[in-house]
């Protein structure tokens, strides 16, 4: 009887240890979120339809890295031609670099002559992309479209 009680007590303690370990592993998973940075250059035009292409590099805090192609397509009341050099993007809410690739929803209002600037926050599910950059060109209007990042 004594052995049986000892075995039962050991099982109860082991089970208690497992249940207290679950919240700790969940907390560690939340802390392991990856932060990625995008460096890019982009040029494009718009006459009602907006189109731009560019390239860049994504570098993540977990050491992952990729050369990328960027495409912007959309429509709206826009007109102009522009170029963004040395653009930056902060990508959050990702688990790995694979979460970076895809189409981000984009909506914006642009206005600029000669020196042009752009800052936007785009989303793709729970992933967020905050863009900022400056360049040259003439652009005016309101547009809605997609900002796509693919492997190069």
């Amino acid at each position: 009887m004594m052995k049986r009680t000892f075995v039962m007590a050991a099982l109860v303690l082991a089970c208690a240890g497992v249940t207290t370990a679950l919240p700790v592993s969940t907390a560690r998973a939340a802390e392991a979120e990856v932060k990625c940075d995008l460096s890019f250059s982009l040029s494009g035009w718009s006459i009602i339809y907006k189109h731009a292409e560019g390239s860049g590099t994504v570098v993540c805090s977990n050491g992952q890295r990729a050369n990328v192609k960027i495409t912007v397509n959309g429509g709206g009341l826009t007109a102009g031609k522009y170029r963004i050099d040395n653009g930056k993007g902060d990508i959050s809410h990702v688990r790995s670099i694979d979460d970076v690739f895809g189409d981000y929803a984009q909506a914006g209002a642009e206005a600029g002559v000669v020196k042009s600037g752009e800052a936007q926050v785009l989303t793709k599910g729970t992933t967020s992309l905050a863009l900022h950059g400056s360049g040259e060109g003439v652009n005016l209007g309101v547009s809605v479209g997609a900002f796509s990042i693919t492997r190069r």
Side-chain angles (χ1 to χ4, degrees):
M1 185 72 168
M2 187 82 138
K3 283 184 182 178
R4 188 180 252 166
T5 306
F6 179 76
V7 170
M8 293 288 273
L11 285 172
V12 168
L13 289 175
C15 288
V18 169
T19 57
T20 56
L22 286 177
V24 173
S25 64
T26 303
R28 284 188 191 137
E31 292 171 9
E33 187 172 285
V34 176
K35 170 85 173 72
C36 297
D37 295 307
L38 170 66
S39 300
F40 69 96
S41 295
L42 183 72
S43 63
W45 52 266
S46 61
I47 301 177
I48 299 177
Y49 180 78
K50 181 178 183 178
H51 178 80
E53 288 186 353
S55 61
T57 305
V58 174
V59 178
C60 297
S61 60
N62 65 359
Q64 293 177 307
R65 166 184 203 95
N67 292 325
V68 297
K69 177 182 176 184
I70 298 169
T71 308
V72 178
N73 289 307
L77 302 172
T78 63
K81 184 175 180 178
Y82 54 91
R83 184 182 83 235
I84 296 174
D85 297 313
N86 301 315
K88 301 291 180 198
D90 302 318
I91 307 167
S92 57
H93 305 293
V94 297
R95 291 181 305 270
S96 77
I97 199 165
D98 294 329
D99 293 341
V100 169
F101 305 111
D103 296 335
Y104 293 79
Q106 181 186 38
E110 299 102 22
V113 177
V114 183
K115 290 290 182 187
S116 185
E118 190 160 330
Q120 293 185 329
V121 177
L122 314 174
T123 60
K124 177 181 73 101
T126 59
T127 303
S128 295
L129 170 59
L131 293 175
H132 46 96
S134 60
E136 296 180 357
V138 175
N139 54 321
L140 177 64
V142 176
S143 63
V144 175
F147 185 97
S148 301
I149 300 175
T150 55
R151 286 187 188 268
R152 203 168 24 128

